[in-house]
Amino acid sequence: MPHFTTTDGTELYYTDQGEGQPVLLSHGWPLSSDAWQVEVKLLADNGYRAIAHDRRGHGRSAKTYTGNDMDTYAKDLAELVKHLDLTNLVVIGHSTGGGEVVRYAAQHGVGRVAKVITVGAVPPQMVKTDSNPDGLPIEVFDGIRAGVLKDASQFYRDLTEAFFGANRDGSNVSQGAKDDFWRQGMLVNLAAAYDCIKAFSETDFTEDLKSLDVPIFLAHGDDDQIVPIGAAAIRSAELVKDGTLKVYPGAPHGIHGDYQSELGKDILAFISK
């Protein structure tokens, strides 16, 4: 299994499959690169080099106590990209990973990043503030922190209901998909999981979005119960210079089923433009 060590000594796991234009995928919280297995194969099968890493503290990467913040996540990504010498790069991020790739592309990726894709992503900012009145109250994220500290295993099981929209009539998400979410979540270091909640909820990506000068595809389900679309992709689309917003009717936060199939086709189409 390939690993890369950052300048602060943190060992990061990544998978690297296929050949062609590089596409780098960043996962959501509290998951790992395994969340992208279907898309990695899809990209490799269609002539792309697909690379997906486990964020520090997550998956098979080092179980970090420090550096669990968005600036460090983006810096880690920049060091991995430099290590692999990737150019003409497409970056894709889901949820927290969407914030990670936006910050990376804006602050580190000039000259390397060709396109950005976000899916159910946290930008511009999740938490409600005076300047972000449509965000979620801080109490929502305090509740997530409390749940993780009290019983992370049960919290991750419970979270799958809203994550995949399993609490909606007509949901067809499998028990296996929910179990795999739990499996990935149980690999994250508790300190990293706890600190990442602040990173994904309180980081303000407004200036990052404004500074992006490459095309960005903003995908979001309109029944996303984790990152509500109104304060996320819809606002992000208003901030970027060259954005394409696609709303997936009835789609939840988690990527699965028909939503996953349609998104895969849209990713390939956007990259090939």
Side-chain angles (χ1 to χ4, degrees):
M1 296 189 297
H3 285 81
F4 161 74
T5 302
T6 67
T7 53
D8 73 353
T10 301
E11 188 176 65
L12 301 181
Y13 166 86
Y14 67 95
T15 183
D16 189 345
Q17 302 181 32
E19 297 179 356
Q21 182 182 6
V23 183
L24 182 61
L25 303 102
S26 292
H27 61 82
W29 177 92
L31 305 175
S32 72
S33 58
D34 286 353
W36 286 119
Q37 287 195 73
V38 170
E39 289 74 21
V40 166
K41 184 179 187 303
L42 176 70
L43 289 160
D45 287 349
N46 282 273
Y48 296 98
R49 179 183 178 187
I51 302 149
H53 72 299
D54 291 357
R55 184 174 301 116
R56 64 168 57 211
H58 296 65
R60 287 140 292 197
S61 291
K63 305 306 183 192
T64 49
Y65 178 71
T66 60
N68 304 304
D69 59 83
M70 200 59 66
D71 285 340
T72 306
Y73 298 157
K75 184 174 181 288
D76 287 347
L77 210 56
E79 292 187 11
L80 177 60
V81 169
K82 184 177 180 181
H83 171 72
L84 297 174
D85 194 24
L86 304 178
T87 56
N88 194 28
L89 173 65
V90 178
V91 290
I92 303 177
H94 174 239
S95 194
T96 299
E100 181 177 280
V101 299
V102 163
R103 176 140 297 182
Y104 160 71
Q107 299 190 13
H108 304 277
V110 176
R112 289 189 183 271
V113 173
K115 292 180 180 178
V116 177
I117 298 172
T118 65
V119 185
V122 297
Q125 188 176 24
M126 284 196 72
V127 73
K128 183 178 182 179
T129 65
D130 290 343
S131 60
N132 186 40
D134 296 325
L136 295 172
I138 189 67
E139 289 78 12
V140 171
F141 306 106
D142 289 340
I144 297 173
R145 278 183 276 266
V148 167
L149 281 181
K150 181 180 179 181
D151 187 345
S153 181
Q154 188 60 50
F155 181 82
Y156 296 146
R157 288 196 186 282
D158 294 343
L159 184 59
T160 63
E161 296 299 305
F163 185 90
F164 288 113
N167 54 357
R168 301 302 200 208
D169 290 341
S171 170
N172 60 1
V173 64
S174 69
Q175 185 62 46
K178 293 192 284 186
D179 289 348
D180 194 48
F181 179 101
W182 175 85
R183 175 189 68 84
Q184 292 180 58
M186 291 308 295
L187 293 175
V188 68
N189 183 45
L190 182 61
Y194 187 91
D195 290 349
C196 189
I197 297 163
K198 180 179 179 68
F200 73 63
S201 64
E202 297 184 37
T203 304
D204 187 347
F205 299 94
T206 300
E207 296 307 314
D208 299 305
L209 290 164
K210 288 179 178 179
S211 70
L212 285 178
D213 59 2
V214 296
I216 178 170
F217 180 72
L218 303 141
H220 215 114
D222 69 0
D223 193 31
D224 190 325
Q225 300 172 63
I226 306 298
V227 183
I229 188 173
I234 290 176
R235 285 200 59 215
S236 292
E238 297 169 351
L239 294 169
V240 296
K241 297 181 179 72
D242 186 3
T244 300
L245 171 65
K246 179 165 182 180
V247 179
Y248 295 77
H253 190 63
I255 305 170
H256 76 96
D258 293 341
Y259 176 33
Q260 186 169 42
S261 298
E262 185 176 358
L263 177 65
K265 293 174 184 176
D266 291 339
I267 286 172
L268 292 175
F270 182 73
I271 295 173
S272 67
K273 285 182 182 178

